[in-house]
Structure formats: structure tokens, C-alpha cells
Amino acid sequence: QFLFVVIFTTFLLCCVDYDVLFANRPLNHSQAGTDRAKVTLPDAVLPGPHPLCSGRIRASGWIIFMLVMAAVFWLYRLVKVLCSVLGYWEIRSFYIKALNIPSEALCNHSWQEVQARLMALQRRQQLCVHKKELTELDIHHRILRFQNYTVAMVNKSLLPIRFRLPLLGTVVFLTQGLQYNLELLLFRGPGALFQNAWSLRPQCKRAGARRELAQRLARAMVLLGVANLLLCPCVLLWQLLYAFFSYAEGIKREPGSLGARRWSLYGRHYLRHFNELSHELRARLSRGYKPATNYMNSFSSPLLAVLAKNVGFFAGSILAVLIALTVYDEDVLTVQHILTALTLLGLVVTVARSFIPDEHTVWCPEQLLQRVLAHVHYMPDHWQGNASRAETRSEMAQLFQYKAVFILEELLSPIITPLILIFALPPRALDIIDFFRNFTVEVVGVGDICSFAQLDVRSHGNPQWLSAGHTEASAYRQAEDGKTELSLMRFAIAHPRWQPPRPSELFLSHLKEQVQRDAATAPPARHVLPEGTLATSLLS
């Protein structure tokens, strides 16, 4: 895709005669009997290695610079893809030879079955030499080492991704570009805090070196931000071209697609449990997509609906007349810009209709929000009883954003990401160093992991939850919003044979007793609606 976008864009800039295409210059046809008024597409394309095409490329230093930058990036991507292919080939061989799962039968096995075969293989051949057996938690720690750190940092509000702007209020900005830069700084870059894929740098574990490390990290943040600033024109151009080629056709075909919603990148980190694999997170959020859409659609602005009805009426009236004229005489289509007018009017009508609520639909925001909670499992305490408030909806929109907002954020990312790296992130450098030192533990056979991922309610439990009286964690060491407890519940349900730590086992036993008491006082099953909150929560 990258290679196609670069070549196709260069072709459009240098190898198309737009004066001929737009009929601004008469075309000199030399063949007899040729319709002189008819211009074909090949007439506007400069054929082969045309001197005018190559001359335009050589004459523009800006185009040559962009092509050189694109070639360097493409070679980097090529090397990265080749390394990934080698890694995937090793994984494929491991599945076939060690786990006895041929490629054609892979789709018939669940992750739990693959995991069971891996643990059985460890007992027979001891792949991990430092311990006799691997547990389900050990396997997830290896796979999700860096993801668990990121989830914990978002949970503790350590990353500067929340800003208060005039007129807009509180906004959350976390894009793929910003996340990539954070991973370079903390996990994968040449000067990252992790020296390899499993071990934190030794000096990061010493309290005496914290200020020196913080200064070094802040300097790396600024340098990386400056590098992003220098590359901003190239990255911004790529983002614009890729967004245009990716979404233009879909928007023309279905203009309402921009009004569809998606879970934001921040929402995926905020709602993710510790030790939750990517496919498990996708499945859980996909189950919550429809309830979340219904909740967000339950809010409507009467003023906006009135404006949309009138705009839709005016645009629809003009569109109806133009369509009637084209049906009466198709020569109307030859009028300049008539097709553009038809397309834009259709787009305006479609967008206006999306702002008009269904008059026969009655929503109950509290029940809708409870259905969302049954799948996503997390929400701030102040949302309870306030589901109908605009503040709750705006905070929910930070987790469940419009697709148009997602596209806009990605387009602005090359401009805003350097500013965050240079100005907002360095003041947090000391806190980040302290976080990695205080919340990193070394597990035999696994390496350095985030201590939150151990699911120990005594070390990281929250007294507001059922672990009250069974936690020794200070406010600094507690996970927010019951992240430790909910992650422990989910992992224990998904892996019933896993043996949790003693404090966590006590918490789970108390929880089961509470669930049994609640079930005893719940109404009979025949009185529970199929789409009720209780049934949805149990299925989730």
C-alpha cells in the first residue's frame, strides 16, 4: 500500500496533463474521422517515459526529497517485514513440530487448547530451563509484558494524554503515532528503559540513580520530539494521502460512515484488563459495541434536530429537481459541475438525516449504561445515577468516539505528538522512572514484569472493593477503578485450573459467596428478560 500510494501520487502530480483532462486546451487529433470534441483518458496521460513527466520530477527538489524519504522508509519497512516473516516461520514450525498442530488444523483449536499443549510440553521437555512448570499466568506475562505496563500507566493516569482546552473542555489525545513514540522511549528504542525483550536496565532498579535517569529520559523525550517535528511534513503528507485513499470511496458510497463509532485507542487501554490478550479484548468490546451505540444515540439535541430537518429539506428539494431534470433529459449531466452538485447534495441529505432522532424510540439511559457496563466492566464512580447527564456522555465519548474524530486525531497527530513529547512528557520523566522501579518484579523463568499483572489483591487491591481488610496497599500502590480485582475475576474465570496467590484466592472465595447470596435473592429466571442486565452480565 505504501509503495502504491507513493507511485500513484507521483504519477498524478507529474504524469497527467490536466489542461487536456479538464478541456482547457484543445486536443490536436491527427487521425481522420476522430471526434475532435471527445477526450479520452489516455489523451490526458503522458505515455511511457515521457520527457515532460520525468522533467517535472527532476525539476522539483521537493518531490525528489519526498521520494528519497519514502524510499528510505520503504526499505526500513521491508527489512522489518522480512524479520517478521522469519519470526512467523519459526512460530509455524514450533506449532507443527512441538505442539503437533498442523497449519490446516490451527483454526480448529482454541487458545486454551494451545496453552494446555504448551504447558504439557514444558513438563516433558522443560523449554524454560529455570522452572519445572509454566502456569497460565507465566505465559500471559511473557506475551503481554509491555502491554501490562501500558495498561497500568493509563490506569494510574501517569501519561500526559488528558488536556483541558478552552471551548472544548477536557480532551484525551492518544494516537497510534504517539503510542509508537512512547514504545520507543520505554520499551523498544535503542535507549529505552528495557534493555531487551524481558529485562529492565539494572540502573532503573536503583533508587539512587532515579534523578540521573529522569534527566536522561527527559532529554531523550525532547530529542525524539524534535525528530518528530523535523519529519512532520513527510508524516503529515503521508497521513493525508493515506486517509484520502482509504476513506474517500467509502464516504462517497456511505456518507453516514463518518458518524459511526469505534472504541478509541485510549478506551482500549482504559477498558483492558491486566493479562487480557488482544483477541479476548476485541471480543469483549465487540459485544459491548451495540449497547454502547444505543446509549450514545439516546442523547439528541432538539435544536440540532430542527436545523437538520430544515437543511435536509432544502438540500433534498434541490436534489429532487436536479434528478427530475436528468430523467427528463440526460444532456443535463453534461452541464459543468452538475455531477458535483448531485454528489454534494446527496452527502448533505445523508448527514442531516443522521442528526434526526427516531420519533418512536424511547430510551432509558440508566439501563443502557448498565448494559454497556456488563461488557466493558469499567466506568468511573460518578457515572452511577448520572447516565442521562451530558458530562457522562462526553466522558463516554472519550472511550467510544466517532470515526470522524478518530480520522481527525490521526491527521493532527504529526503536529501534536512532537509538542507532547517536547513540552508535556518531560515533566513526567521522574514519575515514570519511579513507576518502573516501584512496580517491576522479577519472576523466575519470565523476566521483569509489571507487578500489577501478578493480580495480587494484597499488594495492589482497592479497599472499596470486596478485598477490604485484605489489602495492605497504599493509595499509591492501589489500582484504580478496581482494575486488580476485575482482572483477577476475569482471569480466574477464563482459566479455572489456575492457582492464584493465597490473598487472591480468599478474595475469590468471598466473591463466590457474595454471588451465591445475590443469586438466591434474584428473581426467578422466567422473570429475567433475555436482554436484561443480569443475563448480559452473566453471559459476558
Side-chain angles (χ1 to χ4, degrees):
Q1 288 185 3
F2 179 79
L3 198 61
F4 171 79
V5 169
V6 171
I7 294 175
F8 188 51
T9 304
T10 306
F11 166 78
L12 292 176
L13 288 174
C14 302
C15 300
V16 177
D17 193 339
Y18 289 99
D19 287 334
V20 174
L21 185 65
F22 297 145
N24 295 329
R25 187 178 71 238
L27 189 63
N28 184 19
H29 288 285
S30 59
Q31 298 179 359
T34 304
D35 186 1
R36 301 179 63 86
K38 186 175 182 180
V39 178
T40 62
L41 196 58
D43 293 331
V45 176
L46 301 178
H50 197 280
L52 182 58
C53 179
S54 56
R56 288 177 178 176
I57 296 177
R58 287 194 298 267
S60 176
W62 182 79
I63 292 179
I64 294 177
F65 171 75
M66 287 296 181
L67 289 176
V68 170
M69 294 296 295
V72 171
F73 180 74
W74 185 79
L75 290 175
Y76 162 73
R77 292 288 299 175
L78 180 62
V79 173
K80 193 172 181 180
V81 166
L82 292 177
C83 294
S84 299
V85 169
L86 294 177
Y88 295 148
W89 184 263
E90 291 181 358
I91 294 173
R92 179 180 181 274
S93 301
F94 180 79
Y95 267 72
I96 295 174
K97 298 176 181 178
L99 300 182
N100 295 320
I101 301 177
S103 299
E104 59 273 10
L106 184 59
C107 59
N108 300 326
H109 292 268
S110 66
W111 164 247
Q112 282 71 19
E113 293 172 340
V114 174
Q115 189 172 240
R117 292 197 181 202
L118 181 59
M119 292 188 293
L121 182 64
Q122 166 67 17
R123 288 190 290 268
R124 293 196 309 267
Q125 299 186 13
Q126 202 165 354
L127 300 175
C128 179
V129 298
H130 299 289
K131 58 194 312 183
K132 186 176 180 180
E133 290 191 5
L134 284 176
T135 66
E136 295 89 344
L137 195 60
D138 292 334
I139 296 173
H140 284 71
H141 282 165
R142 281 180 166 235
I143 298 174
L144 301 169
R145 189 189 314 272
F146 298 151
Q147 288 85 345
N148 282 328
Y149 275 106
T150 305
V151 170
M153 285 189 288
V154 171
N155 178 257
K156 298 295 291 183
S157 301
L158 187 62
L159 300 177
I161 55 178
R162 188 179 294 273
F163 307 95
R164 188 165 187 83
L165 302 179
L167 301 179
L168 297 179
T170 302
V171 298
V172 174
F173 186 84
L174 180 61
T175 62
Q176 296 175 356
L178 179 56
Q179 179 178 265
Y180 177 76
N181 282 276
L182 291 174
E183 290 178 353
L184 284 180
L185 285 169
L186 303 177
F187 305 120
R188 308 182 190 278
L193 301 184
F194 268 77
Q195 60 184 359
N196 47 46
W198 62 88
S199 178
L200 196 66
R201 294 184 184 276
Q203 57 266 35
C204 293
K205 302 178 182 180
R206 297 196 299 266
R210 57 191 292 267
R211 296 197 175 276
E212 179 185 353
L213 286 172
Q215 293 175 358
R216 191 184 308 170
L217 180 60
R219 193 181 311 117
M221 293 171 177
V222 174
L223 292 176
L224 187 59
V226 172
N228 276 263
L229 205 58
L230 295 176
L231 293 174
C232 176
C234 301
V235 180
L236 182 60
L237 178 62
W238 161 252
Q239 293 280 57
L240 290 171
L241 291 174
Y242 187 77
F244 175 77
F245 289 128
S246 298
Y247 302 113
E249 188 276 333
I251 294 173
K252 178 183 179 299
R253 175 170 39 86
E254 191 179 352
S257 61
L258 288 178
R261 291 187 176 269
R262 67 189 303 276
W263 295 105
S264 66
L265 188 59
Y266 165 75
R268 293 175 185 274
H269 288 306
Y270 176 81
L271 300 174
R272 189 171 191 167
H273 294 296
F274 294 121
N275 303 309
E276 186 174 23
L277 296 172
S278 298
H279 74 274
E280 296 172 331
L281 175 67
R282 283 195 302 269
R284 184 164 60 86
L285 295 185
S286 296
R287 290 194 297 268
Y289 181 86
K290 190 173 181 180
T293 302
N294 290 335
Y295 172 72
M296 298 302 289
N297 290 342
S298 66
F299 292 84
S300 61
S301 170
L303 177 61
L304 192 59
V306 171
L307 291 176
K309 287 179 181 179
N310 285 276
V311 170
F313 173 78
F314 298 142
S317 300
I318 300 173
L319 181 62
V321 171
L322 292 179
I323 292 176
L325 290 175
T326 56
V327 171
Y328 177 75
D329 189 349
E330 62 181 11
D331 290 338
V332 175
L333 294 174
T334 62
V335 178
Q336 193 174 18
H337 301 311
I338 193 67
L339 288 176
T340 304
L342 289 171
T343 303
L344 291 179
L345 288 171
L347 179 64
V348 170
V349 170
T350 305
V351 172
R353 285 177 179 173
S354 66
F355 289 99
I356 302 174
D358 188 355
E359 298 178 355
H360 305 289
T361 303
V362 179
W363 299 108
C364 181
E366 291 292 346
Q367 291 185 4
L368 291 175
L369 189 59
Q370 287 299 317
R371 290 184 180 181
V372 176
L373 179 63
H375 296 290
V376 302
H377 299 167
Y378 294 98
M379 74 174 187
D381 291 338
H382 61 271
W383 285 12
Q384 297 182 14
N386 296 314
S388 59
R389 295 177 64 89
E391 293 82 359
T392 304
R393 181 190 184 277
S394 63
E395 292 180 8
M396 181 66 182
Q398 296 172 357
L399 309 177
F400 197 55
Q401 62 184 179
Y402 282 118
K403 189 175 183 179
V405 175
F406 163 75
I407 297 174
L408 181 62
E409 287 182 349
E410 292 297 329
L411 291 178
L412 294 177
S413 180
I415 302 173
I416 299 179
T417 295
L419 302 180
I420 293 177
L421 292 173
I422 296 174
F423 299 107
L425 202 55
R428 301 287 183 95
L430 185 60
D431 294 332
I432 292 175
I433 293 295
D434 290 339
F435 175 86
F436 276 87
R437 187 186 72 256
N438 295 326
F439 298 111
T440 295
V441 294
E442 184 177 357
V443 178
V444 176
V446 178
D448 291 333
I449 64 168
C450 180
S451 60
F452 286 101
Q454 289 187 302
L455 308 179
D456 188 354
V457 295
R458 181 171 294 277
S459 300
H460 299 296
N462 195 314
Q464 294 181 349
W465 289 72
L466 292 181
S467 56
H470 298 278
T471 179
E472 301 173 353
S474 61
Y476 175 70
R477 300 189 66 86
Q478 293 171 8
E480 307 299 328
D481 301 319
K483 178 76 77 172
T484 303
E485 289 81 0
L486 286 169
S487 299
L488 173 62
M489 288 184 236
R490 190 211 66 85
F491 196 84
I493 292 173
H495 307 90
R497 296 184 180 180
W498 171 64
Q499 185 64 35
R502 181 60 180 169
S504 301
E505 189 175 7
L506 289 175
F507 164 73
L508 290 175
S509 63
H510 293 162
L511 176 67
K512 290 178 182 178
E513 295 174 0
Q514 181 67 38
V515 169
Q516 290 173 356
R517 287 196 296 268
D518 292 345
T521 58
R526 58 187 177 87
H527 291 159
V528 179
L529 294 176
E531 296 182 355
T533 306
L534 177 60
T536 306
S537 181
L538 291 176
L539 290 174
S540 175

